[in-house]
Amino acid sequence: MEKIKAGIIGTGNISGIYFENGNRFDALQVVACADLDVDRAKARGEEFGVRGCSVEELLADPEIQMIINLTIPQAHASVCLRALEAGKHVYVEKPFAVTREEAQEVLQLAERKGLYVGSAPDTFLGGGIQTSIKLIEDGWIGTPIGATAFMVGGGHESWHPAPEFYYQKGGGPMFDMGPYYLTALVAMLGPITRVTGSARISYPERTITSKPKFGQQVKVEVPTHIAGVMDFASGPIGTLLTSFDVKGGSMLPRIEVYGSTGTLLVPDPNNFNGQIKLTRAGSNEWSDIPLAYGYTENARGVGAADMAKAIQTGRKHRANGDLAYHVLEAMHGFHDASEQGVHYVMKSTCERPAPLPLGLKPYCLD
């Protein structure tokens, strides 16, 4: 089949890996890019051998069937809506949107127009999480009972050149890193029915110690330490800790899944590979499990390519809008539960994404 032609909107740092991977897949071809800064778009386009132009020109191009939206989170929904209005399928970086209302508007417009919408993260399609899914499905740990997930660190102000966003609305550890962990958990265990949690702002101001903004103060608008509990529709209970306030480091695992006959140590969901370990009931030994799937390098863009394949074939794509919205609602739910002192009952659900088939050729999705 002829590849789906895509244009990238937003040519910041993250765009590089999308340009590199975009044309490697069997269903996707990146042919153009755009940015509010047209000169930057043209320079980025020249670097990767595609046409650089304005956003308006890109959206008006009838050749382009799909938009990959790599703008800042506050612009995610508005750019998605413009792309859909222009008749383009759209795949957006995480988070799907800043608010639930914006995200619902995107989903509703896509449905009305019969267009595909998808969202990062797509790291759950990597060898690490896909192998973990296979192990759970094949009964290696018995019936899943629970899971824990930990993403803790000291924040971005010590190393990031422009860390302000991470402490503003739409930021914080839950919205920055939560999508990776929650998407992986839903991919392994299915949708969530209820969440609760406690959240706090530990430091009302942060001092930037990285260059070029050394010494500047950042007011913190979002919780930076969130402890949550999730009930999954399939039965397991999960816990999730996300924090930018752990200054002394941590030795916690990224994700563990507990079953009736064993425990699975799942690799970092922010990566595509990683070490999987498994222990069975009655044993004190952990076994290293080799990865059974490809996409073990940085394959960011595989979710967009899977959506392109779905556009070609009519099947459902894996990093889809329903999954992304479900994760977004859960993230808000943790904050809501803490603020209101209640359990938050999820209003959305989603299908567990179909696992990748074993034995795929490189850069193929079916």
Side-chain angles (χ1 to χ4, degrees):
M1 293 184 183
E2 187 176 346
K3 289 189 175 188
I4 298 296
K5 291 181 171 58
I8 288 174
I9 297 180
T11 55
N13 288 338
I14 190 64
S15 68
I17 192 63
Y18 280 88
F19 281 114
E20 290 176 20
N21 288 336
N23 295 334
R24 293 174 176 171
F25 293 98
D26 65 345
L28 183 66
Q29 182 181 4
V30 176
V31 298
C33 65
D35 197 283
L36 287 176
D37 184 340
V38 178
D39 288 338
R40 181 165 74 169
K42 289 181 177 178
R44 199 67 153 160
E46 185 175 349
E47 180 182 356
F48 289 98
V50 304
R51 177 170 58 91
C53 60
S54 70
V55 174
E56 291 74 17
E57 288 176 286
L58 189 66
L59 292 177
D61 187 342
E63 178 190 39
I64 292 173
Q65 302 157 273
M66 174 176 161
I67 297 297
I68 299 174
N69 178 2
L70 306 181
T71 58
I72 61 173
Q74 290 89 340
H76 280 181
S78 61
V79 172
C80 285
L81 290 169
R82 288 182 66 186
L84 291 168
E85 289 286 6
K88 316 292 188 187
H89 308 283
V90 63
Y91 181 90
V92 61
E93 250 300 331
K94 57 85 185 170
F96 187 40
V98 172
T99 70
R100 285 162 285 197
E101 293 76 16
E102 289 175 337
Q104 287 173 343
E105 191 176 357
V106 171
L107 290 176
Q108 289 164 4
L109 181 59
E111 184 175 5
R112 287 199 303 272
K113 286 188 164 286
L115 295 167
Y116 280 74
V117 62
S119 177
D122 55 9
T123 44
F124 75 95
L125 297 174
I129 302 300
Q130 287 295 304
T131 302
S132 300
I133 291 169
K134 180 68 171 169
L135 290 166
I136 293 169
E137 286 188 337
D138 288 353
W140 283 70
I141 60 170
T143 302
I145 292 169
T148 57
F150 302 97
M151 195 301 298
V152 297
H156 293 65
E157 63 272 23
S158 64
W159 60 270
H160 198 283
E164 299 95 323
F165 154 72
Y166 294 98
Y167 302 104
Q168 297 168 354
K169 297 296 182 184
M174 182 59 73
F175 283 80
D176 177 40
M177 295 300 292
Y180 295 105
Y181 289 78
L182 288 165
T183 302
L185 288 167
V186 172
M188 289 187 287
L189 301 175
I192 302 163
T193 57
R194 187 178 74 167
V195 303
T196 191
S198 294
R200 62 173 290 182
I201 296 174
S202 300
Y203 308 101
E205 287 191 341
R206 317 277 289 219
T207 302
I208 299 175
T209 56
S210 60
K211 294 181 179 180
K213 299 183 177 182
F214 181 88
Q216 292 185 25
Q217 298 292 310
V218 178
K219 288 189 176 181
V220 179
E221 301 175 354
V222 291
T224 50
H225 189 94
I226 305 100
V229 178
M230 302 156 278
D231 296 343
F232 290 87
S234 60
I237 297 171
T239 59
L240 172 66
L241 175 64
T242 67
S243 182
F244 285 164
D245 299 339
V246 178
K247 304 295 186 179
S250 168
M251 295 182 66
L252 290 167
R254 296 298 185 180
I255 297 176
E256 288 183 341
V257 180
Y258 311 114
S260 57
T261 61
T263 296
L264 185 67
L265 180 65
V266 179
D268 186 347
N270 190 24
N271 295 324
F272 286 82
N273 53 16
Q275 181 62 64
I276 297 174
K277 291 181 178 289
L278 184 143
T279 187
R280 306 296 292 273
S283 172
N284 294 320
E285 299 294 325
W286 288 86
S287 299
D288 292 334
I289 305 297
L291 302 189
Y293 292 81
Y295 300 120
T296 56
E297 302 301 324
N298 187 349
R300 278 177 168 81
V302 63
D306 184 64
M307 191 173 94
K309 176 63 76 172
I311 294 167
Q312 288 180 335
T313 63
R315 66 163 169 80
K316 189 165 186 176
H317 54 303
R318 294 171 173 90
N320 58 70
D322 291 339
L323 170 62
Y325 180 80
H326 190 66
V327 167
L328 178 70
E329 185 189 5
M331 294 192 296
H332 277 289
F334 291 119
H335 287 182
D336 289 353
S338 180
E339 290 173 6
Q340 300 168 20
V342 297
H343 285 94
Y344 176 88
V345 178
M346 296 284 288
K347 298 175 178 62
S348 71
T349 189
C350 65
E351 295 179 10
R352 193 167 67 85
L356 289 175
L358 283 168
L360 282 176
K361 294 179 181 179
Y363 300 104
C364 294
L365 281 307
D366 287 340

